[in-house]
Amino acid sequence: MAGPAQAQSVAEGQKLAFERSKGNCLTCHVIKGGDLPGTIGPELSGLKAKYSRDELIAIVSDETKRNPLTVMPPFGRNRILSEKEISAVVDFLQTL
């Protein structure tokens, strides 16, 4: 994706990440621009340098595959987020 489609996906991903009833990333993570963040998980910054896109998709989809002791919900496995929504969240995460 490039240009307007990428920007739209990033905006969708941010909305999902900040939305308390859907992605809800702010419940556990500090994210620049987010209000009332939690501190259970790590601060979400510099992710593009730390993880590939595929790694981020795997983490958001089902982190229990990498870390069985994680408290992060398996957003893909539990169908909390669709594949398209996970892709948008990852597009956003890669901008942090």
Side-chain angles (χ1 to χ4, degrees):
M1 276 190 289
Q6 177 72 23
Q8 182 178 354
S9 185
V10 168
E12 270 183 47
Q14 181 178 14
K15 182 180 176 189
L16 286 163
F18 289 1
E19 189 176 316
R20 297 288 180 180
S21 65
K22 192 73 171 170
N24 206 16
C25 303
L26 281 171
T27 295
C28 298
H29 301 279
V30 171
I31 305 171
K32 183 180 178 183
D35 294 327
L36 303 171
T39 58
I40 295 169
E43 180 174 345
L44 300 182
S45 63
L47 297 179
K48 192 171 187 173
K50 296 175 189 173
Y51 301 103
S52 71
R53 179 173 178 72
D54 288 341
E55 288 172 318
L56 286 172
I57 288 171
I59 290 167
V60 175
S61 294
D62 187 359
E63 174 62 355
T64 65
K65 290 181 179 177
R66 270 183 7 136
N67 177 4
L69 301 178
T70 188
V71 295
M72 185 164 164
F75 289 95
R77 186 184 74 202
N78 285 352
R79 294 187 176 108
I80 298 166
L81 297 174
S82 69
E83 286 182 27
K84 181 179 178 185
E85 289 170 325
I86 290 169
S87 182
V89 168
V90 168
D91 286 342
F92 168 64
L93 294 176
Q94 290 188 305
T95 69
L96 300 176

Coordinates of all heavy atoms in Angstrom, one line a residue:
M1 N 0.8 -1.2 0.0 CA 0.0 0.0 0.0 C 0.9 1.2 0.0 O 1.9 1.3 0.6 CB -0.9 0.0 1.3 CG -2.1 -0.8 1.1 SD -3.3 -0.5 2.5 CE -2.4 -1.3 3.8
A2 N 0.4 2.3 -0.7 CA 1.1 3.5 -0.7 C 0.1 4.7 -0.7 O -1.0 4.5 -1.2 CB 2.0 3.6 -1.9
G3 N 0.5 5.8 -0.3 CA -0.3 7.0 -0.4 C -1.6 7.0 0.4 O -1.5 6.6 1.6
P4 N -2.7 7.4 -0.2 CA -3.9 7.6 0.6 C -4.4 6.3 1.2 O -5.0 6.3 2.3 CB -4.9 8.1 -0.5 CG -4.1 8.7 -1.5 CD -2.8 7.9 -1.5
A5 N -4.3 5.2 0.5 CA -4.7 3.9 1.1 C -4.0 3.6 2.3 O -4.5 3.1 3.3 CB -4.6 2.8 0.1
Q6 N -2.7 3.8 2.3 CA -1.8 3.5 3.5 C -2.2 4.5 4.6 O -2.4 4.0 5.8 CB -0.3 3.7 3.2 CG 0.6 3.6 4.4 CD 0.7 2.1 4.8 OE1 0.5 1.2 4.1 NE2 1.1 2.0 6.1
A7 N -2.4 5.7 4.3 CA -2.8 6.7 5.4 C -4.2 6.3 6.0 O -4.4 6.5 7.2 CB -2.9 8.1 4.8
Q8 N -5.1 5.9 5.2 CA -6.4 5.5 5.7 C -6.3 4.3 6.6 O -6.9 4.2 7.6 CB -7.4 5.1 4.5 CG -8.7 4.8 5.0 CD -9.7 4.5 3.8 OE1 -9.4 4.7 2.6 NE2 -10.9 4.0 4.1
S9 N -5.4 3.3 6.2 CA -5.2 2.1 7.0 C -4.6 2.5 8.4 O -5.0 1.9 9.4 CB -4.4 1.1 6.3 OG -4.3 -0.1 7.0
V10 N -3.6 3.4 8.3 CA -3.0 3.8 9.6 C -4.0 4.5 10.5 O -4.1 4.2 11.7 CB -1.8 4.8 9.3 CG1 -1.3 5.5 10.5 CG2 -0.7 4.0 8.6
A11 N -4.9 5.3 9.9 CA -5.9 6.0 10.7 C -6.9 5.0 11.3 O -7.3 5.1 12.4 CB -6.6 7.0 9.8
E12 N -7.3 4.0 10.5 CA -8.2 3.0 11.0 C -7.5 2.2 12.1 O -8.1 1.9 13.1 CB -8.5 2.0 9.8 CG -9.7 2.3 9.0 CD -9.9 1.2 8.0 OE1 -9.9 0.0 8.3 OE2 -10.2 1.6 6.8
G13 N -6.2 1.9 11.9 CA -5.5 1.1 13.0 C -5.4 1.9 14.2 O -5.5 1.3 15.3
Q14 N -5.1 3.2 14.2 CA -5.1 4.0 15.4 C -6.4 4.1 16.1 O -6.5 3.9 17.3 CB -4.6 5.5 15.0 CG -4.5 6.3 16.3 CD -4.1 7.7 16.0 OE1 -4.0 8.2 14.9 NE2 -3.7 8.4 17.0
K15 N -7.5 4.2 15.3 CA -8.8 4.2 15.9 C -9.1 2.9 16.6 O -9.6 2.9 17.8 CB -9.9 4.4 14.8 CG -11.3 4.5 15.3 CD -12.3 4.7 14.2 CE -13.7 4.7 14.8 NZ -14.7 4.6 13.8
L16 N -8.7 1.8 16.0 CA -8.9 0.5 16.7 C -8.1 0.4 17.9 O -8.5 -0.1 18.9 CB -8.6 -0.6 15.7 CG -9.6 -0.9 14.6 CD1 -9.0 -1.7 13.5 CD2 -10.8 -1.6 15.1
A17 N -6.8 0.8 17.8 CA -5.9 0.7 19.0 C -6.4 1.5 20.2 O -6.2 1.1 21.3 CB -4.5 1.1 18.6
F18 N -7.0 2.7 19.9 CA -7.5 3.6 20.9 C -8.9 3.3 21.4 O -9.4 3.8 22.4 CB -7.4 5.0 20.5 CG -6.0 5.5 20.4 CD1 -4.9 4.8 20.7 CD2 -5.8 6.8 20.0 CE1 -3.6 5.2 20.6 CE2 -4.5 7.4 19.9 CZ -3.4 6.6 20.2
E19 N -9.7 2.5 20.6 CA -11.1 2.3 20.9 C -11.2 1.3 22.0 O -10.8 0.1 21.9 CB -11.8 1.7 19.6 CG -13.3 1.6 19.7 CD -13.9 1.2 18.4 OE1 -13.5 1.7 17.3 OE2 -14.7 0.3 18.4
R20 N -11.9 1.7 23.1 CA -12.0 0.9 24.3 C -12.8 -0.4 24.1 O -12.7 -1.4 24.8 CB -12.5 1.7 25.4 CG -11.7 2.8 25.9 CD -10.4 2.4 26.6 NE -9.6 3.5 26.9 CZ -8.5 3.4 27.6 NH1 -8.0 2.3 27.9 NH2 -7.8 4.5 27.9
S21 N -13.7 -0.4 23.1 CA -14.6 -1.6 22.9 C -14.1 -2.5 21.8 O -14.7 -3.5 21.6 CB -16.0 -1.1 22.5 OG -16.0 -0.4 21.3
K22 N -12.9 -2.2 21.2 CA -12.5 -3.1 20.1 C -11.0 -3.5 20.3 O -10.8 -4.5 21.0 CB -12.7 -2.4 18.7 CG -12.5 -3.3 17.5 CD -13.7 -4.2 17.3 CE -13.5 -4.9 16.0 NZ -14.4 -5.9 15.8
G23 N -10.1 -2.8 19.7 CA -8.7 -3.2 19.9 C -8.2 -3.0 21.3 O -7.5 -3.8 21.9
N24 N -8.5 -1.8 21.9 CA -8.3 -1.6 23.3 C -6.8 -1.7 23.7 O -6.5 -2.0 24.9 CB -9.2 -2.5 24.1 CG -9.5 -2.0 25.5 OD1 -9.4 -0.8 25.7 ND2 -9.9 -2.9 26.3
C25 N -5.9 -1.3 22.8 CA -4.5 -1.4 23.2 C -4.1 -0.5 24.4 O -3.2 -0.9 25.1 CB -3.6 -1.1 22.0 SG -3.9 -2.1 20.5
L26 N -4.8 0.6 24.5 CA -4.5 1.5 25.6 C -4.8 1.0 27.0 O -4.3 1.5 28.0 CB -5.3 2.8 25.4 CG -4.7 3.8 24.4 CD1 -5.7 4.9 24.1 CD2 -3.4 4.3 24.8
T27 N -5.5 -0.1 27.1 CA -5.8 -0.7 28.4 C -4.5 -1.2 29.0 O -4.3 -1.1 30.2 CB -6.8 -1.9 28.3 OG1 -8.0 -1.3 27.8 CG2 -6.9 -2.6 29.6
C28 N -3.5 -1.6 28.2 CA -2.3 -2.2 28.7 C -1.0 -1.4 28.3 O 0.0 -1.6 28.9 CB -2.2 -3.7 28.2 SG -3.5 -4.7 28.8
H29 N -1.1 -0.6 27.3 CA 0.1 0.0 26.7 C 0.0 1.5 26.7 O -1.0 2.1 26.4 CB 0.3 -0.5 25.3 CG 0.4 -1.9 25.1 ND1 1.6 -2.6 25.3 CD2 -0.5 -2.9 24.7 CE1 1.5 -3.9 25.1 NE2 0.2 -4.1 24.7
V30 N 1.2 2.1 26.9 CA 1.3 3.6 26.7 C 1.6 3.7 25.1 O 2.4 3.0 24.6 CB 2.5 4.1 27.4 CG1 2.8 5.6 27.0 CG2 2.3 4.0 28.9
I31 N 0.7 4.6 24.5 CA 0.9 4.8 23.1 C 0.8 6.3 22.9 O -0.1 7.0 23.4 CB -0.3 4.2 22.3 CG1 -0.4 2.7 22.5 CG2 -0.1 4.5 20.8 CD1 -1.6 2.0 21.9
K32 N 1.8 6.9 22.2 CA 1.8 8.3 22.0 C 0.5 8.8 21.4 O 0.0 8.2 20.5 CB 2.9 8.7 21.0 CG 3.1 10.2 20.8 CD 4.2 10.5 19.8 CE 4.3 12.0 19.6 NZ 5.3 12.3 18.6
G33 N -0.1 9.8 22.1 CA -1.4 10.4 21.6 C -2.6 9.7 22.2 O -3.7 10.2 22.1
G34 N -2.4 8.7 23.0 CA -3.5 8.0 23.7 C -3.8 8.5 25.1 O -2.8 9.0 25.8
D35 N -5.0 8.5 25.5 CA -5.4 9.0 26.8 C -5.6 7.8 27.8 O -6.1 6.7 27.4 CB -6.7 9.7 26.7 CG -6.6 11.0 25.9 OD1 -5.5 11.6 26.0 OD2 -7.6 11.4 25.3
L36 N -5.2 8.0 29.0 CA -5.4 7.0 30.1 C -4.8 5.7 29.8 O -5.5 4.7 29.9 CB -6.9 6.9 30.5 CG -7.6 8.2 30.8 CD1 -9.1 8.0 31.0 CD2 -7.0 8.8 32.1
P37 N -3.5 5.6 29.4 CA -2.9 4.3 29.1 C -2.7 3.4 30.3 O -2.6 3.9 31.5 CB -1.6 4.7 28.5 CG -1.2 6.0 29.1 CD -2.6 6.7 29.4
G38 N -2.6 2.1 30.1 CA -2.3 1.2 31.1 C -0.8 1.0 31.2 O 0.0 1.5 30.3
T39 N -0.3 0.2 32.1 CA 1.1 -0.1 32.3 C 1.4 -1.6 32.4 O 2.5 -1.9 32.8 CB 1.6 0.6 33.5 OG1 0.9 0.2 34.7 CG2 1.5 2.2 33.4
I40 N 0.5 -2.4 32.0 CA 0.7 -3.9 32.1 C 1.7 -4.3 31.0 O 2.6 -5.1 31.3 CB -0.6 -4.6 31.9 CG1 -1.6 -4.3 33.1 CG2 -0.4 -6.1 31.8 CD1 -3.0 -4.8 32.9
G41 N 1.5 -3.8 29.8 CA 2.4 -4.2 28.7 C 3.5 -3.1 28.4 O 3.4 -2.0 29.0
P42 N 4.4 -3.3 27.6 CA 5.5 -2.3 27.3 C 4.9 -1.1 26.5 O 3.9 -1.2 25.9 CB 6.4 -3.1 26.4 CG 5.6 -4.2 25.8 CD 4.6 -4.5 26.8
E43 N 5.6 0.0 26.6 CA 5.2 1.1 25.8 C 5.4 0.8 24.3 O 6.4 0.1 24.0 CB 6.1 2.3 26.2 CG 5.8 3.6 25.4 CD 6.5 4.8 25.8 OE1 7.2 4.8 26.9 OE2 6.5 5.8 25.0
L44 N 4.4 1.2 23.5 CA 4.5 0.9 22.1 C 5.1 2.0 21.4 O 4.5 3.0 21.1 CB 3.1 0.6 21.6 CG 2.4 -0.6 22.2 CD1 1.0 -0.8 21.6 CD2 3.2 -1.8 22.2
S45 N 6.4 1.9 21.1 CA 7.2 2.9 20.4 C 8.4 2.2 19.7 O 8.9 1.2 20.2 CB 7.7 4.0 21.3 OG 8.6 3.5 22.3
G46 N 8.8 2.7 18.6 CA 9.9 2.2 17.8 C 9.7 0.8 17.4 O 10.7 0.0 17.2
L47 N 8.4 0.4 17.1 CA 8.2 -1.0 16.8 C 8.7 -1.4 15.4 O 9.0 -2.6 15.3 CB 6.7 -1.3 16.9 CG 6.1 -1.1 18.3 CD1 4.6 -1.4 18.3 CD2 6.8 -2.0 19.3
K48 N 8.7 -0.5 14.5 CA 9.1 -0.9 13.1 C 10.6 -1.3 13.2 O 11.0 -2.2 12.4 CB 8.9 0.3 12.2 CG 9.1 -0.1 10.7 CD 8.7 1.0 9.8 CE 8.7 0.5 8.4 NZ 8.1 1.5 7.5
A49 N 11.4 -0.7 14.1 CA 12.8 -1.1 14.2 C 13.0 -2.4 14.9 O 14.0 -3.0 14.8 CB 13.6 0.1 14.9
K50 N 12.0 -2.7 15.8 CA 12.2 -3.9 16.6 C 11.6 -5.2 16.0 O 12.1 -6.3 16.2 CB 11.4 -3.7 17.9 CG 12.0 -2.6 18.8 CD 11.2 -2.4 20.0 CE 11.6 -1.2 20.8 NZ 10.7 -0.8 21.9
Y51 N 10.5 -5.0 15.2 CA 9.8 -6.2 14.6 C 9.5 -6.0 13.2 O 9.2 -4.9 12.7 CB 8.5 -6.4 15.4 CG 8.6 -6.6 16.9 CD1 8.3 -5.5 17.7 CD2 9.0 -7.8 17.4 CE1 8.4 -5.7 19.1 CE2 9.1 -8.0 18.8 CZ 8.8 -6.9 19.6 OH 8.9 -7.1 21.0
S52 N 9.5 -7.1 12.4 CA 9.0 -7.1 11.0 C 7.5 -7.0 11.1 O 6.8 -7.2 12.1 CB 9.4 -8.3 10.3 OG 8.7 -9.4 10.8
R53 N 6.9 -6.6 9.9 CA 5.5 -6.6 9.8 C 4.9 -7.9 10.1 O 3.9 -8.0 10.9 CB 5.1 -6.2 8.4 CG 3.6 -6.1 8.1 CD 3.2 -5.6 6.8 NE 1.8 -5.6 6.6 CZ 0.9 -4.8 7.3 NH1 1.4 -3.9 8.1 NH2 -0.4 -4.9 7.1
D54 N 5.5 -9.0 9.6 CA 4.9 -10.4 9.9 C 5.0 -10.7 11.4 O 4.1 -11.3 11.9 CB 5.7 -11.4 9.1 CG 5.3 -11.4 7.6 OD1 4.3 -10.8 7.3 OD2 6.1 -11.9 6.9
E55 N 6.0 -10.3 12.1 CA 6.1 -10.5 13.5 C 5.1 -9.7 14.3 O 4.4 -10.3 15.2 CB 7.5 -10.1 14.1 CG 8.6 -11.0 13.6 CD 10.0 -10.5 14.0 OE1 10.3 -9.2 13.8 OE2 10.8 -11.3 14.5
L56 N 4.8 -8.5 13.9 CA 3.8 -7.7 14.5 C 2.4 -8.3 14.3 O 1.6 -8.4 15.2 CB 3.8 -6.2 14.1 CG 4.9 -5.4 14.6 CD1 5.0 -4.0 13.9 CD2 4.8 -5.2 16.1
I57 N 2.1 -8.8 13.1 CA 0.9 -9.4 12.8 C 0.7 -10.7 13.7 O -0.3 -10.9 14.3 CB 0.7 -9.8 11.3 CG1 0.5 -8.5 10.5 CG2 -0.4 -10.8 11.1 CD1 0.6 -8.7 9.0
A58 N 1.8 -11.5 13.8 CA 1.7 -12.7 14.7 C 1.5 -12.3 16.2 O 0.7 -12.9 16.9 CB 3.0 -13.4 14.5
I59 N 2.1 -11.2 16.6 CA 2.0 -10.8 18.0 C 0.5 -10.4 18.3 O -0.1 -10.8 19.3 CB 3.0 -9.6 18.3 CG1 4.4 -10.2 18.4 CG2 2.6 -9.0 19.7 CD1 5.5 -9.1 18.4
V60 N 0.0 -9.5 17.4 CA -1.4 -9.1 17.6 C -2.4 -10.2 17.4 O -3.4 -10.3 18.2 CB -1.7 -7.9 16.7 CG1 -3.2 -7.5 16.8 CG2 -0.8 -6.7 16.9
S61 N -2.1 -11.1 16.5 CA -3.1 -12.2 16.2 C -3.1 -13.2 17.3 O -4.2 -13.6 17.8 CB -2.7 -12.9 14.9 OG -2.8 -12.1 13.8
D62 N -1.9 -13.6 17.8 CA -1.9 -14.6 18.9 C -0.5 -14.7 19.5 O 0.3 -15.5 19.1 CB -2.3 -16.0 18.4 CG -2.5 -17.0 19.5 OD1 -2.3 -16.7 20.7 OD2 -2.9 -18.1 19.2
E63 N -0.2 -13.8 20.5 CA 1.1 -13.7 21.1 C 1.4 -15.0 21.9 O 2.5 -15.3 22.2 CB 1.2 -12.5 22.0 CG 2.4 -12.4 22.8 CD 3.7 -12.3 22.0 OE1 3.7 -12.4 20.8 OE2 4.8 -12.1 22.7
T64 N 0.3 -15.8 22.3 CA 0.5 -17.0 23.0 C 1.4 -18.0 22.3 O 2.0 -18.9 22.9 CB -0.8 -17.7 23.5 OG1 -1.5 -18.1 22.3 CG2 -1.6 -16.7 24.3
K65 N 1.4 -17.9 21.0 CA 2.3 -18.8 20.2 C 3.7 -18.6 20.4 O 4.5 -19.5 20.5 CB 2.0 -18.7 18.7 CG 0.6 -19.3 18.3 CD 0.4 -19.2 16.8 CE -1.0 -19.8 16.5 NZ -1.3 -19.6 15.0
R66 N 4.1 -17.3 20.6 CA 5.5 -17.0 21.0 C 5.8 -17.0 22.4 O 6.8 -17.4 22.9 CB 5.8 -15.5 20.5 CG 6.3 -15.3 19.1 CD 6.6 -13.9 18.8 NE 6.6 -12.9 19.9 CZ 7.4 -12.0 20.1 NH1 8.5 -11.9 19.3 NH2 7.3 -11.2 21.1
N67 N 4.8 -16.6 23.2 CA 5.0 -16.5 24.7 C 3.7 -17.0 25.3 O 2.7 -16.3 25.5 CB 5.2 -15.0 25.1 CG 5.3 -14.9 26.5 OD1 5.3 -15.8 27.3 ND2 5.4 -13.6 27.0
P68 N 3.7 -18.3 25.7 CA 2.5 -18.9 26.3 C 2.1 -18.3 27.6 O 0.9 -18.4 28.0 CB 2.9 -20.4 26.5 CG 4.1 -20.6 25.7 CD 4.8 -19.3 25.5
L69 N 3.0 -17.5 28.3 CA 2.6 -16.9 29.5 C 2.1 -15.5 29.4 O 1.9 -14.8 30.4 CB 3.8 -16.9 30.5 CG 4.4 -18.3 30.8 CD1 5.6 -18.3 31.7 CD2 3.3 -19.2 31.4
T70 N 2.0 -15.0 28.2 CA 1.5 -13.6 28.0 C 0.1 -13.4 28.5 O -0.7 -14.3 28.5 CB 1.6 -13.2 26.5 OG1 1.4 -11.8 26.3 CG2 0.6 -14.0 25.7
V71 N -0.1 -12.1 28.9 CA -1.5 -11.8 29.2 C -2.2 -11.0 28.1 O -3.4 -10.7 28.2 CB -1.5 -10.9 30.5 CG1 -1.0 -11.7 31.7 CG2 -0.8 -9.6 30.3
M72 N -1.5 -10.9 27.0 CA -2.1 -10.2 25.8 C -3.2 -11.1 25.2 O -2.9 -12.3 24.9 CB -1.0 -9.9 24.8 CG -1.5 -9.1 23.6 SD -0.2 -8.3 22.7 CE -1.0 -7.9 21.2
P73 N -4.3 -10.5 24.9 CA -5.4 -11.3 24.3 C -5.0 -11.7 22.9 O -4.4 -10.9 22.2 CB -6.6 -10.3 24.3 CG -6.3 -9.2 25.2 CD -4.8 -9.1 25.3
P74 N -5.4 -12.9 22.5 CA -5.2 -13.3 21.1 C -6.2 -12.8 20.2 O -7.3 -13.4 19.9 CB -5.2 -14.9 21.2 CG -6.1 -15.1 22.4 CD -5.9 -14.0 23.3
F75 N -6.0 -11.5 19.7 CA -7.0 -10.8 19.0 C -7.5 -11.5 17.7 O -8.7 -11.4 17.3 CB -6.5 -9.4 18.6 CG -6.4 -8.5 19.8 CD1 -5.2 -8.4 20.5 CD2 -7.5 -7.8 20.2 CE1 -5.1 -7.5 21.6 CE2 -7.4 -7.0 21.4 CZ -6.2 -6.8 22.0
G76 N -6.6 -12.2 17.0 CA -7.0 -13.0 15.8 C -7.7 -14.3 16.2 O -8.7 -14.6 15.6
R77 N -7.0 -15.1 17.0 CA -7.5 -16.4 17.3 C -8.9 -16.3 18.0 O -9.8 -17.1 17.7 CB -6.6 -17.1 18.3 CG -7.0 -18.6 18.6 CD -6.2 -19.2 19.6 NE -6.5 -18.7 20.9 CZ -5.7 -18.7 22.0 NH1 -4.5 -19.2 21.9 NH2 -6.1 -18.2 23.1
N78 N -9.2 -15.3 18.8 CA -10.5 -15.1 19.4 C -11.4 -14.3 18.6 O -12.5 -14.0 19.1 CB -10.3 -14.5 20.8 CG -9.8 -15.5 21.8 OD1 -9.6 -16.7 21.6 ND2 -9.4 -15.0 23.0
R79 N -11.0 -13.9 17.4 CA -11.9 -13.2 16.5 C -12.3 -11.8 17.1 O -13.4 -11.4 16.8 CB -13.0 -14.0 16.0 CG -12.6 -15.2 15.2 CD -13.8 -15.9 14.5 NE -13.3 -17.0 13.7 CZ -13.4 -18.3 14.0 NH1 -13.9 -18.7 15.1 NH2 -12.9 -19.2 13.1
I80 N -11.5 -11.2 17.9 CA -11.8 -9.9 18.4 C -11.6 -8.9 17.3 O -12.3 -8.0 17.2 CB -10.8 -9.6 19.6 CG1 -11.1 -10.6 20.8 CG2 -11.0 -8.2 20.1 CD1 -10.0 -10.6 21.9
L81 N -10.5 -9.1 16.5 CA -10.2 -8.3 15.3 C -10.1 -9.2 14.1 O -9.6 -10.3 14.2 CB -8.9 -7.6 15.5 CG -8.8 -6.6 16.6 CD1 -7.4 -6.0 16.7 CD2 -9.8 -5.4 16.4
S82 N -10.6 -8.7 13.0 CA -10.5 -9.5 11.7 C -9.1 -9.3 11.2 O -8.3 -8.5 11.7 CB -11.5 -8.9 10.7 OG -11.1 -7.6 10.3
E83 N -8.7 -10.1 10.2 CA -7.4 -10.0 9.6 C -7.2 -8.6 9.0 O -6.1 -8.0 9.2 CB -7.3 -11.0 8.4 CG -7.1 -12.4 8.9 CD -6.9 -13.4 7.8 OE1 -6.4 -13.0 6.7 OE2 -7.2 -14.6 8.0
K84 N -8.2 -8.0 8.4 CA -8.1 -6.6 7.9 C -7.9 -5.6 9.0 O -7.0 -4.7 8.9 CB -9.4 -6.3 7.1 CG -9.3 -4.9 6.5 CD -10.6 -4.5 5.7 CE -10.5 -3.1 5.2 NZ -11.7 -2.7 4.5
E85 N -8.6 -5.8 10.1 CA -8.4 -4.9 11.3 C -7.0 -5.1 11.9 O -6.3 -4.1 12.3 CB -9.4 -5.2 12.3 CG -10.8 -4.7 11.9 CD -11.9 -5.2 12.8 OE1 -11.8 -6.3 13.4 OE2 -12.9 -4.4 13.0
I86 N -6.5 -6.3 12.0 CA -5.1 -6.6 12.5 C -4.1 -5.9 11.6 O -3.2 -5.3 12.1 CB -4.9 -8.1 12.7 CG1 -5.7 -8.6 13.8 CG2 -3.4 -8.3 12.9 CD1 -5.7 -10.1 14.0
S87 N -4.3 -6.0 10.3 CA -3.4 -5.4 9.3 C -3.4 -3.8 9.5 O -2.3 -3.2 9.5 CB -3.8 -5.7 7.9 OG -3.0 -5.1 7.0
A88 N -4.5 -3.2 9.8 CA -4.6 -1.8 10.0 C -3.9 -1.4 11.3 O -3.2 -0.4 11.4 CB -6.1 -1.3 10.0
V89 N -4.1 -2.2 12.4 CA -3.5 -1.9 13.6 C -2.0 -2.0 13.4 O -1.2 -1.1 13.9 CB -3.9 -2.9 14.7 CG1 -3.1 -2.8 16.0 CG2 -5.4 -2.6 15.1
V90 N -1.5 -3.0 12.7 CA 0.0 -3.1 12.5 C 0.5 -2.0 11.6 O 1.5 -1.4 11.9 CB 0.3 -4.5 11.8 CG1 1.7 -4.5 11.3 CG2 0.1 -5.6 12.8
D91 N -0.3 -1.5 10.6 CA 0.1 -0.3 9.9 C 0.3 0.9 10.8 O 1.3 1.6 10.7 CB -1.0 0.1 8.8 CG -0.9 -0.9 7.6 OD1 0.0 -1.6 7.4 OD2 -2.0 -0.9 6.9
F92 N -0.6 1.0 11.8 CA -0.5 2.1 12.8 C 0.7 1.9 13.7 O 1.5 2.8 13.9 CB -1.8 2.2 13.6 CG -1.6 3.1 14.8 CD1 -1.3 4.4 14.7 CD2 -1.7 2.5 16.1 CE1 -1.2 5.2 15.8 CE2 -1.6 3.3 17.2 CZ -1.3 4.7 17.1
L93 N 0.9 0.6 14.2 CA 2.0 0.3 15.1 C 3.3 0.6 14.4 O 4.3 1.1 15.1 CB 1.9 -1.1 15.6 CG 0.8 -1.5 16.5 CD1 0.8 -3.0 16.8 CD2 0.7 -0.7 17.7
Q94 N 3.4 0.4 13.1 CA 4.7 0.6 12.4 C 5.0 2.1 12.3 O 6.1 2.5 11.9 CB 4.7 0.0 11.1 CG 4.7 -1.5 11.2 CD 4.9 -2.2 9.9 OE1 4.2 -2.0 9.0 NE2 6.0 -3.0 9.8
T95 N 4.1 3.0 12.6 CA 4.3 4.4 12.6 C 4.8 5.0 13.9 O 5.3 6.1 14.0 CB 3.1 5.3 12.2 OG1 2.1 5.2 13.2 CG2 2.5 4.8 10.9
L96 N 4.8 4.1 15.0 CA 5.1 4.6 16.3 C 6.6 4.6 16.5 O 7.3 3.8 15.9 CB 4.5 3.7 17.4 CG 2.9 3.7 17.3 CD1 2.4 2.7 18.3 CD2 2.4 5.1 17.5

